[in-house]
Amino acid sequence: MKTEHEREQLIKAINVLLNQAYDSTLDEIYALLQQIEDEEEENDLKAYHAAISDVENNSLISWDDIKKEIANERKKDVA
């Protein structure tokens, strides 16, 4: 992850290039950024649904089974 200063410098450099770009290039850049944003949103949704599914699947395990598993793990750690 970039520091705040690194981000500011990168944004300034990008702005310089954007101000020099042709309109058609700006349209292409915008389309690419929009595509990236859409893909990130899709990936976020997939991760969200996977997490929800994981919670739903793991909630099918009974509390007694979970306690037994914890007790078995503790026995392993002591041994």
Side-chain angles (χ1 to χ4, degrees):
M1 187 163 179
K2 296 191 179 300
T3 66
E4 188 68 28
H5 179 70
E6 289 172 327
R7 287 179 55 83
E8 288 175 10
Q9 294 302 316
L10 184 56
I11 290 170
K12 285 180 185 178
I14 290 170
N15 278 327
V16 168
L17 293 173
L18 288 175
N19 284 316
Q20 297 171 356
Y22 293 113
D23 289 343
S24 60
T25 303
L26 292 175
D27 292 338
E28 290 176 31
I29 292 169
Y30 180 77
L32 287 171
L33 289 172
Q34 197 65 43
Q35 180 182 351
I36 291 168
E37 182 69 22
D38 292 345
E39 288 174 6
E40 287 176 349
E41 283 184 22
E42 184 177 332
N43 289 338
D44 289 346
L45 280 174
K46 285 179 183 176
Y48 169 77
H49 289 294
I52 293 296
S53 176
D54 188 44
V55 167
E56 289 172 351
N57 290 337
N58 288 332
S59 66
L60 299 176
I61 301 170
S62 72
W63 178 241
D64 287 334
D65 289 342
I66 293 170
K67 288 192 293 187
K68 287 176 187 174
E69 188 172 331
I70 291 170
N72 288 337
E73 287 297 320
R74 285 186 182 153
K75 288 178 186 175
K76 289 179 186 176
D77 290 340
V78 172

